[in-house]
């Protein structure tokens, strides 16, 4: 450890101003601070500081995503072998999925971090840790068969147009990971929806068992099927839906794994429990309203099923809670979350083209979050004006 | 006891090295200093030249823009040096004590028998006026103003703060005399904030002509700014004054004896102090008179004040004007490998991302490491948890950063000073320099409006 520190101190002058590799300063600092928490001491204001920093905050979110990631890897293998009609063990399923998912993660991180490094260098800033989370979120909301070049293009689009043009992490209006997902959805719709993209290999003409369908549960419900089935036609139990042994984006299927993540986020205080709870509440309320009217399979679907199918839980826990693009006032968080839940189910039920509404609901509310905050703060300002004697 | 105002949001940072409740007479300091840097927006005009003889209460310098406000010597002796900092700004005027304790004489007597002008005059001449702070802006009060009210916080909840109930023991008469003086300065009330959790000192409970308010809860419950916000918030155009309890006593003493006698009690605390105790000394004393041979390690930071708002002073520096506390903590200029992922049993955090949250009662030896780099605002809801005010701190800071004066006013900048937002700075994940941003905003506002 000391030897490493000495080595870093030795090469550091090269990246300082006037050094040969000054153009790599941000990159160097990024790696240095990854290895060592810097020796900076406080100079103004409070002499002591909380030990919590952005790196740790972001790493906590990544840790919270690990259960969903691991389950997603296993499920990739499970769905693949189910389509083939083969039965294999736990590890074989996982290993297959691991090999399919890993390249997506690598592409997402390399593209995104590369761009971040370049922008940080141009601006002369330190590398911001925000992409550590986005870089993991992007793979988790992709269908497993997505071409890698698409991942790279979407990531680049999300980081540059979704984030850097606004000034970088902390300044963006939309959630970068959802921007990537939405970009692909609208730019390459055939690759992002349908029955064949959710299972590894299916799109490439893999031999499947007879009568196999890779459609997601929501797609079946949108076609007014009353009984939701898995790929080989067996009815799905509530347990299957909750555990996530269904087709879908890599990380979104298992409500259980996502809830473990939610537990980590809420326990550490990194994610807002208010947003998570209110998204679920909004979804449940809208689901109940739909149930009251009825009419088709999606409207008659019990409200709690809406919450465990599709990307609802994933969106509620990992996407809506993004502190930058979400509402920032505590009261605003309740409204913001609730409306995401309501809109997600509304879009899901009434959008004829695509049976999923969470992505669009969150992006829409990302846009409205500043408005919500504005009205909450106006209330505060009005209270202050009311008690003032001198008029402003 | 009247109604208790419960403060729910806030944070008590438990540090090692609380001062034992024992009074010790500090050895006489060789030199004393009056430091213009202890006051915001003060441009000093020096009166006493080097080598000139001064008595306790002799004018050292006055405010260039408000010449009636004078700053006087705490002891008798000769002016030794005028220390200058960057751009030849005067940092401090050092006086070498001669030990004779000669003092200027001022008016004494019952303030009720004097006119308001005479009371103000006496405070200005003796150099005691600068103990009166004005909010908004946190500057020395304007003698021509009549404030809406005067607020005194009778306790301090900052980390390792001195116990005022202990300090104010046997100060009943002086405190009352001081209150009577303040009473004559305002048409409103004199408010005294007290800690509801402990029985208050007799000086507080027995004081007449004050309105007592009881507060309970974590820091910043003891900050006068929080108390004002709960009792009667400051609106645009209003001015209130605040005085610290020991300064009330000094004012009382002036009117009882006719002398400027700024002796006070200062607690020496912090994890790096061998024997943390309370010391009786004179305002502006050398810090070494209490820290000499009393500090455990070498690489320390000596803070005049508490760890959240105090000022760094050097080993041979002098204690700040109104500081009742000197804190010594270790410097944190070290690297820590993979510190952002380690479990962190010895680290303190309000978030539960360090395992130390499992041991809530533990006292910490915290150092001055920043623990990370500065970032844009990302996390939300952090500041609100430690600020018990009806204010949106992040929105306020953003208004300051973009220099939007209207928004600053609307979002309540008049109600806060640096000390009130110090905890926000402590908890900030993005390591935002909250206190200096706020001071920048206050400066901007004053320039614009006055």
């Amino acid at each position: 450890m000391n030897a490493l520190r000495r080595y870093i101190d030795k090469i550091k002058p090269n990246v300082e101003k006037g050094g040969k590799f000054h153009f790599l300063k941000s990159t160097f600092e990024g790696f240095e601070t990854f290895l060592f928490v810097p020796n900076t001491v406080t100079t103004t204001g409070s002499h002591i500081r909380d030990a919590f920093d952005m790196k740790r905050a972001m790493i906590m979110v990544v840790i919270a995503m690990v259960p969903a990631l691991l389950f997603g890897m296993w499920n990739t293998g499970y769905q693949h072998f189910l389509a083939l009609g083969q039965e294999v063990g736990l590890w074989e399923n996982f290993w297959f999925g691991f090999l399919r998912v890993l390249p997506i993660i690598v592409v997402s991180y390399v593209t995104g971090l590369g761009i971040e490094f370049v922008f940080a260098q141009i601006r002369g800033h330190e590398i911001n840790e925000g992409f550590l989370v986005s870089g993991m979120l992007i793979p988790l909301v992709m269908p497993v068969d997505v071409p890698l070049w698409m991942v790279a293009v979407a990531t680049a689009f999300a980081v540059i147009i979704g984030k850097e043009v606004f000034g970088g992490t902390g300044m963006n209006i939309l959630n970068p990971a959802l921007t990537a997902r939405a970009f692909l959805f609208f730019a390459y719709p055939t690759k992002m929806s349908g029955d064949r993209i959710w299972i590894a290999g299916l799109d490439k003409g893999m031999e499947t068992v007879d009568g196999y369908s890779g459609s997601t549960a929501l797609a079946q419900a949108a076609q007014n099927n009353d009984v939701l089935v898995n790929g080989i036609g067996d009815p799905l139990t509530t347990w299957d839906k909750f555990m996530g042994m269904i087709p879908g984006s890599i990380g979104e299927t298992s409500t259980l794994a996502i809830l473990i993540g939610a537990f980590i986020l809420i326990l550490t205080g990194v994610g807002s429990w208010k947003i998570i709870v209110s998204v679920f509440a909004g979804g449940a309320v809208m689901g109940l309203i739909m149930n009251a009217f009825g009419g088709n399979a999606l409207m008659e679907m019990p409200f709690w099923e809406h919450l465990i199918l599709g990307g609802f839980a994933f969106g509620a826990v990992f996407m809506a809670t993004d502190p930058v693009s979400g509402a920032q006032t505590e009261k605003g968080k309740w409204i913001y979350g609730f409306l995401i839940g309501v809109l997600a189910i509304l879009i899901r039920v009434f959008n004829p083209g695509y049976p999923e509404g969470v992505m669009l609901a969150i992006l829409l509310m990302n846009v409205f979050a500043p408005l919500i905050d504005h009205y909450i703060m106006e209330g505060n300002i009005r209270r202050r004006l009311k008690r003032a004697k001198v008029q402003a | 006891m009247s109604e208790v105002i419960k403060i729910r949001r806030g944070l008590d940072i438990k540090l090692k090295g609380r001062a034992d409740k024992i009074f010790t007479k500090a050895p006489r300091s060789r030199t004393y200093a009056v430091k213009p840097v202890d006051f915001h927006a003060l441009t000093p005009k020096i009166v006493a030249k080097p080598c000139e003889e001064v008595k306790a209460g002799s004018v050292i310098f006055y405010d260039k823009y408000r010449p009636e406000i004078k700053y006087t010597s705490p002891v008798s002796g000769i002016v030794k040096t005028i220390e200058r900092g960057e751009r030849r700004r005067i940092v401090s005027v050092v006086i070498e004590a001669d030990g004779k304790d000669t003092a200027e004489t001022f008016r004494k007597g019952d303030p009720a028998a004097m006119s308001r002008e005479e009371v103000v005059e006496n405070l200005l001449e003796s150099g005691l006026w600068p103990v009166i702070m004005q909010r908004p802006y946190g500057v020395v009060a304007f003698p021509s103003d009549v404030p809406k009210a005067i607020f005194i916080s009778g306790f301090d909840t900052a980390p390792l703060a001195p116990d005022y109930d202990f300090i104010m023991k046997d100060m009943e008469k002086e405190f009352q005399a001081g209150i009577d003086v303040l009473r004559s300065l305002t048409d409103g009330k004199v408010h005294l904030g007290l800690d509801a959790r402990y029985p208050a000192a007799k000086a507080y409970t027995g004081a007449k002509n004050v309105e007592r308010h009881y507060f309970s809860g974590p820091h910043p419950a003891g900050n006068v700014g929080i108390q004002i916000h709960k009792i009667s918030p400051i609106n645009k155009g209003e001015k209130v004054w605040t005085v610290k309890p020991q300064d009330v006593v000094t004012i009382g003493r002036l009117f009882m004896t006719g002398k400027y006698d700024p002796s006070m009690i200062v607690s020496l605390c912090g994890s790096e102090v061998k024997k943390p105790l309370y010391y009786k000394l004179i305002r502006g004393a050398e810090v070494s008179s209490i820290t000499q041979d009393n500090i455990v390690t070498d690489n320390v930071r000596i803070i005049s004040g508490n760890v959240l708002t105090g000022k760094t002073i050097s080993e041979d520096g002098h204690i700040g004007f109104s500081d009742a506390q000197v804190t010594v903590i270790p410097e944190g200029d070290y690297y820590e490998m993979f510190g952002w992922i380690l479990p962190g049993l010895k680290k303190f955090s309000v978030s539960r991302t360090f395992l130390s949250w499992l041991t809530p009662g533990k006292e910490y030896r915290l150092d001055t490491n920043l623990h990370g780099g500065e970032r844009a605002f990302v996390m939300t809801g952090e500041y609100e948890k430690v600020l018990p005010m009806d204010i949106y701190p992040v929105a306020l800071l953003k208004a300051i950063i973009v220099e939007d004066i209207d928004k600053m006013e609307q979002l309540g900048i008049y109600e806060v000073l640096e000390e009130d937002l110090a905890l926000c700075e402590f908890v900030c994940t993005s390591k935002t320099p909250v206190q200096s941003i706020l001071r920048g905003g206050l400066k901007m506002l004053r320039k614009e409006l006055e």
Side-chain angles (χ1 to χ4, degrees):
Chain A
M1 172 181 164
N2 277 331
L4 183 62
R5 185 65 245 168
R6 272 198 300 276
Y7 177 68
I8 289 177
D9 286 335
K10 204 180 98 193
I11 60 172
K12 204 171 182 176
N14 288 321
V15 299
E16 296 299 335
K17 214 168 181 178
K20 242 189 295 180
F21 298 103
H22 182 54
F23 66 98
L24 286 176
K25 187 174 188 329
S26 288
T27 313
F28 178 84
E29 257 176 12
F31 283 107
E32 187 197 353
T33 57
F34 171 80
L35 287 170
F36 294 96
V37 173
N39 65 346
T40 332
V41 293
T42 53
T43 49
T44 64
S46 178
H47 296 270
I48 55 171
R49 298 296 171 94
D50 195 295
F52 190 44
D53 71 340
M54 202 59 74
K55 273 201 184 55
R56 200 168 179 98
M58 295 304 163
I59 288 298
M60 286 297 152
V61 185
V62 174
I63 290 174
M65 281 188 274
V66 165
L69 173 70
L70 294 180
F71 184 87
M73 287 174 168
W74 175 83
N75 192 43
T76 300
Y78 173 76
Q79 296 296 336
H80 174 80
F81 290 114
L82 190 71
L84 284 180
Q86 297 174 7
E87 260 199 55
V88 298
L90 175 81
W91 286 108
E92 213 166 325
N93 278 333
F94 180 78
W95 183 245
F96 177 85
F98 178 78
L99 292 180
R100 288 303 173 106
V101 174
L102 192 64
I104 306 179
I105 298 175
V106 171
V107 168
S108 153
Y109 269 117
V110 169
T111 317
L113 284 178
I115 296 170
E116 288 265 350
F117 278 35
V118 170
F119 271 92
Q121 189 65 52
I122 293 171
R123 292 203 176 99
H125 284 181
E126 284 187 51
I127 308 284
N128 208 307
E129 291 82 2
F131 193 78
L132 290 179
V133 171
S134 306
M136 185 59 93
L137 279 172
I138 290 172
L140 290 185
V141 293
M142 292 291 161
V144 67
D145 251 7
V146 64
L148 292 179
W149 65 267
M150 275 192 201
V151 178
V153 171
T155 306
F157 178 85
V159 173
I160 296 172
I161 304 294
K163 199 160 80 169
E164 295 301 340
V165 292
F166 292 105
T169 305
M171 321 285 181
N172 47 308
I173 294 170
L174 299 177
N175 182 318
L178 275 182
T179 309
R181 180 75 165 77
F183 172 77
L184 285 188
F185 179 70
F186 289 111
Y188 306 98
T190 52
K191 293 282 184 188
M192 293 303 285
S193 54
D195 292 349
R196 310 195 61 80
I197 57 153
W198 309 105
I199 313 298
L202 205 58
D203 205 22
K204 293 178 182 110
M206 177 179 83
E207 290 283 317
T208 59
V209 291
D210 286 346
Y212 182 83
S213 160
S215 64
T216 63
L218 285 178
Q220 296 170 32
Q223 278 150 20
N224 229 349
N225 298 352
D226 280 335
V227 182
L228 307 179
V229 295
N230 70 2
I232 52 173
D234 294 339
L236 287 169
T237 62
T238 302
W239 180 247
D240 290 340
K241 295 171 194 160
F242 180 70
M243 280 301 288
M245 290 176 283
I246 49 177
S249 296
I250 294 166
E252 72 171 14
T253 61
S254 174
T255 309
L256 177 70
I258 292 164
L259 286 180
I260 295 171
F263 178 75
I264 295 173
L265 286 183
I266 292 172
L267 181 79
T268 55
V270 176
S272 165
W273 63 272
K274 289 174 188 163
I275 292 179
I276 297 176
V277 169
S278 58
V279 175
F280 277 107
V285 166
M286 199 61 203
L288 282 171
I289 293 173
M290 290 297 160
N291 290 168
F293 286 101
N296 62 32
L298 266 176
M299 290 178 89
E300 279 163 12
M301 180 184 273
F303 74 92
W304 49 267
E305 252 188 58
H306 268 301
L307 309 186
I308 60 174
L309 284 179
F312 193 91
F314 192 84
V317 172
F318 294 115
M319 296 290 193
T321 52
D322 173 10
V324 175
S325 56
Q328 312 204 338
T329 53
E330 296 305 298
K331 270 183 216 150
K333 284 176 184 171
W334 289 111
I335 301 169
Y336 165 80
F338 190 79
L339 288 179
I340 286 178
V342 167
L343 284 174
I345 303 302
L346 193 72
I347 297 171
R348 185 181 271 184
V349 173
F350 289 116
N351 175 9
Y354 180 62
E356 182 55 296
V358 182
M359 172 182 83
L360 293 173
I362 296 176
L363 285 174
L364 192 66
M365 289 314 296
N366 278 173
V367 174
F368 281 107
L371 188 70
I372 298 172
D373 285 338
H374 175 77
Y375 278 107
I376 302 281
M377 268 182 276
E378 280 298 307
N380 178 276
I381 291 168
R382 251 194 311 268
R383 273 199 296 284
R384 188 163 290 115
L385 281 180
K386 218 184 238 169
R387 58 165 208 249
K389 291 184 194 84
V390 184
Q391 284 307 307
Chain B
M1 197 155 97
S2 60
E3 203 185 330
V4 175
I5 299 169
K6 279 205 181 102
I7 306 278
R8 285 176 211 287
R9 291 177 291 169
L11 172 68
D12 283 326
I13 303 165
K14 295 188 181 78
L15 296 183
K16 275 185 183 155
R18 182 168 289 285
D20 290 328
K21 285 186 195 163
I22 299 166
F23 281 134
T24 321
K25 206 162 177 303
R28 271 305 277 264
S29 171
R30 212 168 40 80
T31 64
Y32 291 82
V34 193
K35 298 190 276 186
V37 287
D38 284 343
F39 304 90
H40 289 295
L42 164 64
T43 314
K45 197 87 186 155
I46 301 282
V47 172
K49 301 279 176 309
C51 300
E52 201 175 302
E53 234 174 271
V54 289
K55 297 179 191 170
S58 305
V59 180
I60 301 291
F61 55 81
Y62 60 84
D63 188 338
K64 188 178 168 190
Y65 299 107
R66 296 188 284 170
E68 68 276 20
I69 301 176
K70 298 171 179 112
Y71 296 79
T72 56
S73 173
V75 291
S76 67
I78 53 165
V79 177
K80 200 178 149 210
T81 47
I82 296 167
E83 288 172 7
R84 287 172 189 271
E86 278 172 50
R87 282 185 277 164
R88 297 198 39 82
R89 181 171 171 226
I90 297 167
V91 177
S92 76
V93 178
V94 180
I95 297 130
E96 195 167 80
D98 58 11
K100 288 184 209 146
D101 294 332
T102 52
E104 305 272 1
T105 47
F106 302 99
R107 230 180 125 160
K108 66 176 176 182
D110 183 5
M114 300 184 196
S115 70
R116 185 175 189 275
E117 285 70 36
E118 286 169 326
V119 172
V120 171
E121 186 70 19
N122 207 27
L123 287 170
L124 285 168
E125 290 307 316
S126 63
L128 256 179
W129 184 264
V131 302
I132 304 174
M133 280 290 148
Q134 174 206 293
R135 275 178 185 250
Y137 308 125
V139 294
V140 173
F142 285 77
S144 51
D145 288 338
V146 179
K148 179 173 104 168
I150 295 177
F151 291 85
I152 304 160
S153 172
F155 66 113
D156 191 348
T157 45
L160 300 177
D163 181 349
Y164 274 100
D165 296 324
F166 177 64
I167 288 181
M168 298 304 282
K169 225 158 103 182
D170 305 325
M171 300 280 190
E172 289 84 3
K173 271 198 194 126
E174 290 95 331
F175 190 74
Q176 184 61 54
I179 292 287
D180 292 338
V181 173
L182 295 176
R183 192 75 202 76
S184 68
L185 294 177
T186 173
D187 298 337
K189 287 174 178 159
V190 176
H191 298 275
L192 176 61
L194 295 176
D195 193 340
R197 292 173 296 184
Y198 308 102
K202 245 205 235 146
Y204 292 154
T205 53
K208 287 192 258 320
N209 294 327
V210 288
E211 187 151 303
R212 273 176 282 271
H213 303 270
Y214 291 86
F215 295 86
S216 78
H219 187 59
N223 276 12
V224 73
I226 306 299
Q227 298 174 3
I228 297 170
H229 184 86
K230 298 286 174 191
I231 298 166
S232 158
I234 305 167
N235 300 312
K236 185 182 162 79
E238 290 176 345
K239 283 175 178 175
V240 303
W241 290 354
T242 66
V243 187
K244 292 184 177 177
Q246 294 210 73
D247 293 331
V248 177
V249 168
T250 316
I251 292 177
R253 234 181 262 139
L254 172 74
F255 281 79
M256 285 165 75
T257 64
K259 283 190 186 130
Y260 177 45
D261 172 13
S263 55
M264 56 189 295
I265 291 156
V266 170
S267 86
L268 176 65
C269 55
S271 58
E272 305 312 286
V273 177
K274 273 187 204 155
K275 277 192 218 127
L277 296 172
Y278 287 77
Y279 291 90
K280 269 189 185 148
L281 41 75
I282 293 172
R283 191 197 296 286
E286 272 178 59
V287 73
S288 59
S289 64
I290 55 176
T291 53
Q292 189 124 52
D293 303 321
N294 204 1
I295 292 178
V296 186
T297 44
D298 281 338
N299 192 15
V300 295
R301 181 178 295 192
I302 302 172
I303 301 159
S304 177
N306 66 56
V307 289
L308 292 175
T309 60
K311 284 200 175 80
T312 308
I313 51 175
S314 63
E315 240 169 273
D316 52 0
H318 297 83
I319 300 171
F321 189 73
S322 273
D323 293 329
Q325 180 181 7
V326 171
T327 318
V328 186
I329 56 170
E331 281 287 358
D333 52 347
Y334 55 85
Y335 289 95
E336 189 187 19
M337 200 176 197
F338 297 125
W340 48 272
I341 192 73
L342 296 176
L345 279 165
K346 282 186 178 168
K347 294 218 186 120
F348 180 74
S349 173
V350 274
S351 72
R352 281 184 294 246
T353 54
F354 294 84
L355 285 180
S356 58
W357 71 272
L358 296 167
T359 53
K362 195 173 153 179
E363 288 185 342
Y364 295 85
R365 175 178 180 264
L366 298 187
D367 55 50
T368 63
N369 192 298
L370 191 58
H371 300 294
E374 212 181 308
R375 298 285 183 271
F377 287 111
V378 169
M379 303 295 280
T380 61
E382 287 183 313
Y383 289 13
E384 286 83 350
K385 276 187 203 147
V386 294
L387 180 70
M389 287 178 147
D390 185 20
I391 277 178
Y392 288 99
V394 178
L396 175 60
L397 291 172
K398 284 182 177 171
I400 296 173
I401 292 169
V402 300
E403 307 191 353
D404 183 342
I405 301 237
D406 286 344
K407 260 269 135 62
M408 288 183 219
E409 284 187 339
Q410 291 173 349
L411 291 168
I413 193 171
Y414 293 125
E415 295 162 51
V416 288
L417 283 187
E418 291 100 309
E419 56 178 30
D420 304 320
L421 293 188
L423 273 175
C424 299
E425 185 170 57
F426 172 80
V427 300
C428 186
T429 310
S430 298
K431 313 293 174 193
T432 309
V434 173
Q435 296 188 64
S436 55
I437 292 176
L438 178 61
R439 178 43 64 185
L442 290 167
K443 252 190 199 161
M444 212 184 308
L445 204 58
R446 258 196 95 202
K447 219 170 140 190
E448 196 78 8
L449 300 180
E450 282 177 8

